[in-house]
Amino acid sequence: QLFPDKYYAGLWETDFPLSLLWAKVRDHVTRVSPYRAPTWSWASVDGAITFPITKMTKSEIWHPDDPRILSVNVIEHIKGSLGSVTEGYMEVEGIIHRLTSEQQSRCWEFMDTYMTPSICYALRIGAFSTLNAFSKECYLLLDQWGSVYKRCGAIPPERYHDPFQPSELLHGTRQYLRI
């Protein structure tokens, strides 16, 4: 076997859930059309992106506590190609927070595209902490489309400011999500 890990539309299984926190480098990116990958994958956009996993230092510790990834399913356009997919989704169980319009407005710079969701949710992915106990919470931003959620952004560890006060997202709801 050439690759010892499973590959899901641009992300390696061993890097889940941290790799879900990919972020645009500067300006907003563009969702590709026709469909190329699920919204949780960097392969679903055109534009410059970065991964937090490549920027970790030895003094940082990743604490993945949520969500529990129950399954990841992709159907490759050409089986075994590690290329585009015709369909993909993941099923997770995690703590989700419905953002107020004011909280959502503070997340603008973390949105993937210029499209603003009517209702935005934050799914806690985990936190980075340093040896001096400084911690940065990390969230996947989601837009609900019926019974399915689509990624609309991420709040990665490398950022200039926190859009939320630590006490703002204490009370979420544990839910099963299909993204």
Side-chain angles (χ1 to χ4, degrees), residues 85-160:
V85 301
T86 58
E87 182 182 333
Y89 64 90
M90 73 169 124
E91 297 170 313
V92 302
E93 181 186 345
I95 297 174
I96 191 166
H97 306 269
R98 183 177 175 166
L99 302 182
T100 65
S101 57
E102 197 273 327
Q103 289 171 325
Q104 188 173 323
S105 69
R106 287 185 267 147
C107 293
W108 172 248
E109 71 182 272
F110 302 108
M111 296 293 180
D112 295 336
T113 69
Y114 289 109
M115 299 276 298
T116 304
S118 56
I119 300 172
C120 189
Y121 296 85
L123 175 67
R124 187 174 189 275
I125 298 293
F128 274 97
S129 64
T130 58
L131 296 177
N132 65 4
F134 179 70
S135 180
K136 284 199 173 184
E137 304 282 320
C138 301
Y139 296 91
L140 195 60
L141 299 174
L142 302 171
D143 186 9
Q144 188 173 13
W145 292 57
S147 62
V148 176
Y149 291 83
K150 295 182 184 270
R151 177 197 155 114
C152 59
I155 301 175
E158 68 276 355
R159 57 186 183 259
Y160 297 109

Side-chain angles (χ1 to χ4, degrees), residues 4-126:
D5 198 3
K6 289 185 180 173
Y7 186 78
Y8 297 109
L11 306 176
W12 295 100
E13 184 176 50
T14 54
D15 294 335
F16 273 91
L18 183 60
S19 58
L20 297 172
L21 294 172
W22 59 267
K24 62 186 175 10
V25 173
R26 288 178 298 281
D27 296 326
H28 292 86
V29 293
T30 306
R31 290 263 178 239
V32 294
S33 183
Y35 182 90
R36 185 167 67 199
T39 59
W40 44 261
S41 170
W42 61 267
S44 70
V45 299
D46 282 337
I49 58 114
T50 184
F51 283 93
I53 198 167
T54 61
K55 296 186 174 193
M56 286 178 64
T57 66
K58 292 185 191 273
S59 65
E60 292 178 313
I61 302 164
W62 171 242
H63 302 283
D65 56 353
D66 249 352
R68 252 182 17 147
I69 296 177
L70 305 172
S71 69
V72 180
N73 300 285
V74 295
I75 299 172
E76 295 174 316
H77 186 69
I78 300 171
K79 190 165 175 56
S81 68
L82 304 183
S84 65
V85 301
T86 58
E87 182 182 333
Y89 64 90
M90 73 169 124
E91 297 170 313
V92 302
E93 181 186 345
I95 297 174
I96 191 166
H97 306 269
R98 183 177 175 166
L99 302 182
T100 65
S101 57
E102 197 273 327
Q103 289 171 325
Q104 188 173 323
S105 69
R106 287 185 267 147
C107 293
W108 172 248
E109 71 182 272
F110 302 108
M111 296 293 180
D112 295 336
T113 69
Y114 289 109
M115 299 276 298
T116 304
S118 56
I119 300 172
C120 189
Y121 296 85
L123 175 67
R124 187 174 189 275
I125 298 293

